[in-house]
Every structure is written in C-alpha cells, then in structure tokens.
Amino acid sequence: MNAVNALQISLYAALGLLGLLALFAAYQYLLGPAIVRKLVNRYLYKRRIAWVSLTAVMLCTALVIIVISVMGGWLANFRSAFRGMSGDIVVYRSFTGITGYEELLAGVRAMPEVDQAMPLIRSVGLAVFNGRTPEPVQVTGIDLKNFPDFNAFGKSLWRQHQEPLSRGEKLTTRPSFDLVPGMPYELLHREGDKARDWPGMILGSPLAGGKKDRDNKITFPATLYENWVRLEVIPIASDTTSLTRTTPSATAYWIVDASRSQLYQIDAVSAYVPFDVLQRDLEMTATTYTETDTGKKVTVPARCSEVQIRLHPDADRAAVMNKVRPLAEAIDAKYEPGAMRPIRVEGWEEQQQTFLSAVENEKSLVTFLLGLISLVAVFLIFCILYMIVVEKTRDIGIIKSVGATAQGVAGIFVAYGLAIGVVGSLLGVVLAALVVTYINQIHTWLGQTFGLVIWNPETYAFDTIPNDIDPPTVAVIAAIAVLSAVVGALVPAVRAGHLNPVEALRFE
C-alpha cells in the first residue's frame, strides 16, 4: 500500500467513526422516551434479516467505487500519457505545414506566460527493415536534445531511460539519436565506414518487436540495434498540387532505441527521426528562387508541421491561446495568403478529444449501469423494513399507546434506514479502498491460486491495473448510498407512523 492510499483509508475510517457517533446521537433523539428505546432495541436490533440490507448497501457501494476508480484510473493514465507527449498548446496545419515557423517561435517565446516552444514535423512514410520488410509508419521529426526538457518523451525511451532505471542505474547522459556505443556498425553493413554516418531512428515499441510477458518483463529482439531502416517519404512543397511530379526521398537509419509511451495507438505506428534530417527529406527547409519576371531573388522560409508550446504552471491557457492565435494567423497570412486549410491553435486536450471522450463515455455508461443495478439495495431495504412493520404491528401499537407520536414512530424506521445506509456505505468505502489499493496483488493471487487472469499485461499497454481512489467521487457515492437507504425506508416509516394504535393492538 502506498502512503497516499494508506492516508485515504485512515481518513475514511476517521470520517466513518465521526459519522457513527453523530448517527447514534440522532438515533437516540428520534426514539424519545426510554421505554421506546428499549422496545426498539429489542425488536429491531435483533432482526438479523436487516443485516442483509446492510450487506447489500456495502457491496453496491464498494462495487461502484471499485469500478469507477479503475475506469477513472484508465482515463487518468491516458490523459497523463497524452499530456506527456504534447505541449499545453499546439499550433499546426496538416499536410503542407507552417511556413515561417521560426518567426512564430520567436514571437511565442517572447510571451511571459510561455516556458518553452518546440517545432515538430509529422509525416507518413514507408519503412523498409533490413531491405526486406516494409511497414507504413507515422514519422515524427524532433529535436531530441531539447525535447526531454519539454515533455515526457525522453522517459519513454527504453535503452536510454527505462532499462537503466530498472537495473537501478543512475542516468548520466541525455537522450539522443546518437548511435549505440560499442556497436560495430562498419561491420554490419556493406558500406563499411559510411554506415556510421547514418542517423539514428527511434521506433515505437511494437514496431521494434517489444513484448511484455505476464510478469511485466519487457523484452526486445537481441539483434534490435543491428537493424537498419530505409525510410522513404514524399516531399510536399507548399505549392504542390499533385504527387505525380514528386520523387520520394530515401534515407537509411540505424535503430538506436524504442519508445514505450504506453499509448498503443501511437507506439504501434510511430518512428522518430532527427528534425533536421526529416525537414531536409520533406524539402521543408528554407529555399530561395529567382522570379522570372523581375529577376528578384525570393526566399521562402522553412516549414514545420507543429509548434508545441509549454506554459508556466500558473499561466491561463485560454488567455495565452487568444494571444497565440492572432500571431499565428498574421504570420500565416504573410506567407500563405488564401490558404484553404487555416492554421489551427488548440490545447492538447482538444487534439485528443475524440479518444478521451470515448473513454469518458465508457466510464459514464458503466457507472450508469452499476447505478441501476445498485437500486436493488433500495428495494431490499424497503421490503425488509416493510416486513418488519407488518410483523410488529402489535408492538408498534404498544409503542404508540405509551406516548410515542406518529413522527416518533416513523423516525424509528427512518433512523434505522439511515443507520443501514451509513454503516453499509462506510463499510463499502473501506472494502473498496482495500480492494483498489491491493488490486494488483489480489489479481496476482487469483492467477497463481485459481489460474484466473483477468488483466493480462501482454495485452494491455499499461503495466499495472490503476489503483488510485478519488476522495470527492467516493464521498458522492457514499452520500448517494446513504440517501438511497433512507428513501427505501420512507414508505415503511410512513405506514408505521400512521397505524392506529387501537387497530394495531387488535392485529393478529
């Protein structure tokens, strides 16, 4: 158990104790005279069938909390992973890219709210491994020497980050596309010494042949770093209207690392290469040409696909976007007047909204279905308390004949429903906290003891089942459970309060 979850459980236990003390005081107040308390304790406390209602409330509460915690953990993991691979704000234009991005970078970096801004190039290409196996890939050109300070991409690298940490080693160098130290590249390819001049490429873990077993052990092919890749991309000039007049550019790379962002939809298709190499191959560098009419030399600035912006922690993202957007549009109008595809300025969440919304909708749907199933606790409390009212009609008549009011009698059953709700929900919270905290250990035990493997690390991108609990969500679920128990007790309470004492004493 980590310190945060231990603190959460302790907090829930303390709140539960305070709630029980408050409930006891309210319960004693509602019952009124001592003789009434004596009769109620005699007839209600000994009704063991009410424990069934308490158990139902406990299990329903725990089930909803466990499922929401796991699903919420999934969503939080996805959000964290997407956030770790992107800036706070993204300026982009698909296909032809952003002309004059260096001018945009200068303007953005001058804003006091901006911590850093980085250019990226995204394209598609055909990767041919060792001259034999072709794979379509999404190619991303990045400046890896500065990128690790910008986001979490550097931490996704297997050879340069994750593997050394797993062995307890201290990281001493920054991630880069440099070739693997000690690798005899001149002996691995027929071009000999020229092979060492090839740049490095980082592949997504699945593309690099990365596998994970049921013990979360990560393995890659032993010959991974001896493989080379011929990457072909199609240059896209800003004025290109047809690909028929375009010749693909090809560059050979050595595989130097693998990226495990734990986002399968990204890792399965991604190849990362040096920014300047991809910019050259896509012909997105600055170019100069001479106008035929005037003989004047004109320079077209370099292009990139995206400018990612990281803000200071206290910066207002919406306000910064409102400052970046007119700047980007002005530069775009300067170099690309009348462009059909406008330049876009979005937050990282907007870029990933389709996927994140799908996960959020899944969570909402599962929560709704479990909420409907949990209504069984309400009907169970209603049935049990109604049965007690019917069976103890004569006893209720005795209670009312010694001075109990209709409100007092009804309050007995409302308080009893409240007691079931409070105790059941608190026990459910404690049970859910224990299960969620130890869910990975429980799953391991089930697999070892019964061969029941629900979570197979070989299948899922994330290495462990999420085990964090959101206290505000837990508080809302517990409050709904208590309210549901009280609602289930209302009808029996009203019937008991309206019983005529004379008719109740005649009841057989």
Side-chain angles (χ1 to χ4, degrees):
M1 181 192 308
N2 58 46
V4 175
N5 284 328
L7 180 62
Q8 289 175 348
I9 294 176
S10 301
L11 177 61
Y12 298 146
L15 291 176
L17 179 60
L18 291 175
L20 288 175
L21 292 175
L23 175 64
F24 179 76
Y27 189 63
Q28 296 296 322
Y29 173 79
L30 286 171
L31 295 183
I35 187 172
V36 176
R37 290 199 298 270
K38 182 177 180 180
L39 290 172
V40 170
N41 291 338
R42 176 182 177 185
Y43 291 118
L44 290 185
Y45 282 165
K46 294 184 179 180
R47 299 298 297 178
R48 304 295 174 84
I49 193 172
W51 292 7
V52 176
S53 298
L54 188 146
T55 303
V57 173
M58 177 187 71
L59 294 177
C60 290
T61 303
L63 180 63
V64 173
I65 292 174
I66 291 170
V67 172
I68 287 182
S69 296
V70 174
M71 293 294 293
W74 276 120
L75 181 59
N77 284 350
F78 280 121
R79 290 177 64 86
S80 177
F82 279 123
R83 177 66 186 85
M85 299 294 283
S86 177
D88 296 296
I89 300 174
V90 182
V91 184
Y92 69 97
R93 173 192 277 125
S94 58
F95 202 57
T96 58
I98 303 171
T99 304
Y101 74 91
E102 292 170 319
E103 187 175 336
L104 175 60
L105 281 173
V108 167
R109 287 169 177 166
M111 297 179 182
E113 304 92 341
V114 173
D115 182 36
Q116 195 174 359
M118 296 284 293
L120 266 74
I121 296 179
R122 297 191 191 276
S123 185
V124 293
L126 182 67
V128 181
F129 294 84
N130 292 336
R132 294 187 297 273
T133 309
E135 289 279 354
V137 294
Q138 177 178 300
V139 191
T140 303
I142 59 176
D143 176 7
L144 193 52
K145 293 189 182 299
N146 296 314
F147 216 59
D149 294 333
F150 185 80
N151 60 20
F153 179 75
K155 296 179 180 178
S156 75
L157 301 184
W158 173 251
R159 181 182 66 83
Q160 301 179 73
H161 188 91
Q162 297 180 8
E163 188 178 27
L165 289 183
S166 68
R167 295 196 300 259
E169 298 177 6
K170 185 178 180 180
L171 300 176
T172 57
T173 59
R174 295 173 60 82
S176 70
F177 285 109
D178 294 341
L179 301 185
V180 180
M183 184 65 66
Y185 291 104
E186 63 275 5
L187 303 179
L188 298 176
H189 196 270
R190 62 179 179 271
E191 293 194 16
D193 293 340
K194 293 182 180 180
R196 279 193 172 272
D197 297 331
W198 293 357
M201 171 186 285
I202 297 171
L203 293 176
S205 178
L207 273 178
K211 294 183 179 179
K212 180 173 59 174
D213 61 21
R214 293 191 176 187
D215 297 324
N216 276 329
K217 182 180 179 181
I218 311 299
T219 58
F220 287 92
T223 58
L224 173 62
Y225 305 121
E226 300 175 8
N227 294 328
W228 59 277
V229 180
R230 183 176 183 271
L231 177 66
E232 286 191 4
V233 294
I234 298 178
I236 304 295
S238 59
D239 59 349
T240 293
T241 57
S242 174
L243 295 178
T244 58
R245 297 189 299 272
T246 303
T247 303
S249 297
T251 298
Y253 298 83
W254 289 109
I255 299 175
V256 298
D257 213 335
S259 170
R260 292 189 67 247
S261 69
Q262 300 194 53
L263 290 169
Y264 184 83
Q265 62 271 38
I266 293 178
D267 291 344
V269 296
S270 291
Y272 303 91
V273 299
F275 179 87
D276 55 341
V277 176
L278 186 59
Q279 187 180 49
R280 179 201 66 199
D281 288 348
L282 290 174
E283 297 180 8
M284 298 178 76
T285 56
T287 58
T288 301
Y289 66 93
T290 302
E291 291 183 339
T292 56
D293 297 337
T294 64
K296 181 180 178 181
K297 288 187 177 182
V298 178
T299 298
V300 178
R303 290 174 291 136
C304 73
S305 303
E306 296 179 7
V307 169
Q308 295 200 359
I309 304 167
R310 189 180 70 184
L311 307 178
H312 292 296
D314 57 347
D316 184 342
R317 186 172 63 180
V320 179
M321 288 175 64
N322 289 334
K323 293 173 63 176
V324 172
R325 187 173 287 108
L327 173 63
E329 290 174 348
I331 294 174
D332 190 49
K334 176 180 177 181
Y335 295 111
E336 298 286 348
M340 289 294 293
R341 289 179 176 268
I343 199 166
R344 304 288 298 273
V345 180
E346 294 180 348
W348 69 271
E349 290 174 307
E350 287 82 3
Q351 271 210 318
Q352 306 298 338
Q353 190 60 43
T354 301
F355 183 84
L356 293 177
S357 294
V359 180
E360 288 175 348
N361 292 338
E362 247 181 79
K363 177 185 174 184
S364 300
L365 177 60
V366 172
T367 303
F368 175 73
L369 293 176
L370 286 175
L372 290 180
I373 295 172
S374 297
L375 287 176
V376 67
V378 177
F379 291 104
L380 198 57
I381 293 171
F382 164 77
C383 293
I384 290 174
L385 291 186
Y386 195 89
M387 182 183 68
I388 291 175
V389 171
V390 172
E391 287 185 354
K392 301 302 179 182
T393 299
R394 285 176 58 85
D395 299 326
I396 293 172
I398 294 172
I399 294 173
K400 297 191 75 172
S401 68
V402 296
T405 63
Q407 292 82 1
V409 172
I412 294 171
F413 292 93
V414 172
Y416 200 65
L418 180 63
I420 291 174
V422 170
V423 176
S425 63
L426 288 175
L427 291 176
V429 168
V430 173
L431 176 61
L434 290 171
V435 171
V436 173
T437 301
Y438 294 104
I439 192 167
N440 288 286
Q441 292 88 331
I442 293 172
H443 182 264
T444 301
W445 176 79
L446 289 173
Q448 293 174 348
T449 306
F450 302 103
L452 180 60
V453 179
I454 302 172
W455 169 276
N456 187 350
E458 294 177 285
T459 304
Y460 295 95
F462 294 108
D463 297 336
T464 57
I465 305 173
N467 62 345
D468 291 326
I469 296 177
D470 181 39
T473 302
V474 170
V476 171
I477 295 171
I480 293 175
V482 173
L483 180 61
S484 300
V486 172
V487 170
L490 283 178
V491 173
V494 171
R495 186 181 188 281
H498 284 81
L499 283 178
N500 187 299
V502 177
E503 294 179 359
L505 289 172
R506 293 176 179 174
F507 180 80
E508 294 295 338

